[in-house]
């Protein structure tokens, strides 16, 4: 596990920010809870209100679970709190997610992206050369 947390004038998003943190974990289901706890603890330290923190933790949980399920080697969580917006970026080393799996009951899987889209102000999914990147933005009144 690799962790950085820095209130830094430079951001990986290319502009100044108040806080940013990066967590890299193996893309395994056992590490999803570490991403969730990391997010909860960090956002509390950054004074993000509890209701917004809960939404962010749920978003991270869903995105990390997908990354753990479909990623091959590692997953990375980037959190950037910038001018009242929390940017959540999860990357993995997987391939495109299969949208419909007839062998899986609909009540067992498939709601994660809907939850993320409901809670976030915006979401984006990009296939990269090394895997997939999912971005969600959430307004925070910190």
């Amino acid at each position: 596990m690799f962790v950085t947390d820095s209130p830094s004038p430079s951001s990986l998003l290319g502009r100044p920010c108040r806080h940013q943190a990066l967590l890299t974990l193996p893309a395994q289901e056992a590490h999803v809870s570490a991403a969730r706890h990391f997010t909860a603890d960090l956002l509390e330290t950054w004074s993000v209100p509890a209701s917004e923190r809960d939404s962010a933790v749920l978003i991270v949980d869903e995105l990390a679970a997908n990354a753990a399920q479909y990623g091959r080697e590692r997953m990375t969580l980037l959190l950037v709190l910038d001018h009242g917006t929390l940017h959540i970026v999860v990357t993995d080393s997987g391939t495109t997610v299969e949208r419909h799996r007839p062998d899986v009951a609909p009540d067992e899987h498939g709601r994660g992206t809907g939850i993320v889209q409901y809670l976030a102000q915006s979401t984006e999914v990009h296939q990269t050369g090394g895997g997939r990147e999912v971005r969600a933005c959430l307004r925070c009144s910190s």
Side-chain angles (χ1 to χ4, degrees), residues 8-20 80-83 87:
S8 166
S10 65
S11 163
L12 294 179
L13 296 176
R15 60 183 186 271
C17 69
R18 286 185 21 207
H19 295 282
Q20 71 181 32
V80 178
L81 181 60
D82 182 19
H83 296 93
H87 302 269

Side-chain angles (χ1 to χ4, degrees), residues 63-83:
L63 297 181
N66 283 345
Q69 183 175 3
Y70 297 106
R72 289 186 302 252
E73 296 169 12
R74 68 180 175 281
M75 59 183 166
T76 301
L77 168 64
L78 171 64
L79 300 171
V80 178
L81 181 60
D82 182 19
H83 296 93

